């Protein structure tokens, strides 16, 4: 230790507090009580309820009913077959319909907008029955400009 540390410890040993102050602090400290902990009661109640619930679930006879069900003999077997066979609805196989806009979508995804713009312009002028899907229409509005029918090339 260095010299100043030794001096500090010597001075700290000589410091004392008055007896009256010590007694007052001790009396004040005795009045402090720890908080009453109610959580341990709740915890015990929770554990007890959980234990009872687990025991009921494990010991309840309903879980063992599958082991004691009646085994049908061969004459009664035909009565149970339809119920077992039709217990779940059969799902029809879904065949996807071909996408009529696939070629145009592929062109747009590759960055070619000529065919899209042509189709969009004809749709704007003729109001054809087949309209563009929403995502292709939005793409056409972003990338194509409307050419007026009166515009002439020079």
């Amino acid at each position: 230790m260095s010299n100043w540390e030794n001096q500090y410890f010597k001075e700290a040993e000589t410091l004392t507090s008055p007896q009256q102050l010590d007694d007052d602090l001790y009396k004040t400290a005795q009045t402090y009580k720890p908080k009453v902990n109610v959580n341990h009661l709740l915890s015990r109640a929770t554990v007890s309820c959980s234990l009872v619930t687990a025991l009921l679930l494990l010991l309840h006879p309903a879980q063992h009913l599958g082991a004691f069900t009646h085994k049908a003999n061969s004459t009664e077997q035909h009565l149970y077959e339809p119920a077992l066979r039709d217990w779940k609805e059969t799902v029809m196989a879904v065949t996807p319909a071909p996408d009529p806009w696939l070629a145009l979508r592929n062109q747009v995804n590759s960055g070619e907008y000529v065919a899209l713009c042509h189709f969009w312009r004809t749709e704007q002028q003729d109001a054809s029955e087949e309209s563009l899907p929403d995502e292709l229409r939005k793409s056409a509005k972003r990338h194509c400009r409307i050419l007026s029918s009166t515009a002439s090339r020079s």
Side-chain angles (χ1 to χ4, degrees):
M1 277 200 281
S2 66
N3 190 21
W4 69 269
E5 287 175 320
N6 287 330
Q7 288 177 345
Y8 173 79
F9 284 122
K10 286 179 185 174
E11 293 295 326
E13 288 173 358
T14 61
L15 287 177
T16 58
S17 61
Q19 185 65 30
Q20 178 69 26
L21 182 62
D22 288 343
D23 291 340
D24 289 343
L25 286 176
Y26 182 68
K27 286 178 185 175
T28 307
Q30 282 182 334
T31 61
Y32 295 135
K33 302 279 186 208
K35 288 184 179 180
V36 177
N37 191 0
V38 184
N39 290 338
H40 69 281
L41 296 176
L42 291 175
S43 177
R44 287 180 183 167
T46 305
V47 169
S48 300
C49 289
S50 300
L51 184 64
V52 168
T53 304
L55 286 174
L56 283 176
L57 288 175
L58 290 174
L59 300 177
H60 194 274
Q63 75 166 346
H64 302 292
L65 285 179
F68 300 119
T69 51
H70 173 66
K71 300 290 184 193
N73 59 20
S74 61
T75 59
E76 296 175 350
Q77 187 68 29
H78 68 281
L79 297 174
Y80 297 108
E81 283 180 7
L84 292 176
R85 184 178 60 240
D86 299 331
W87 71 276
K88 188 191 302 183
E89 291 182 24
T90 57
V91 178
M92 298 294 288
V94 178
T95 55
D99 185 12
W101 303 101
L102 182 63
L104 191 58
R105 280 190 179 104
N106 288 339
Q107 286 180 356
V108 169
N109 289 339
S110 67
E112 300 175 17
Y113 298 103
V114 176
L116 176 67
C117 293
H118 175 70
F119 195 95
W120 186 60
R121 286 186 193 111
T122 56
E123 182 187 62
Q124 296 292 321
Q125 293 170 357
D126 299 337
S128 63
E129 309 135 9
E130 247 187 313
S131 62
L132 285 169
D134 289 337
E135 75 274 3
L136 289 176
R137 183 177 295 114
K138 288 177 185 175
S139 180
K141 285 180 183 177
R142 267 195 313 264
H143 296 285
C144 305
R145 60 187 175 129
I146 300 176
L147 299 176
S148 65
S149 58
T150 59
S152 62
R153 295 184 185 180
S154 41

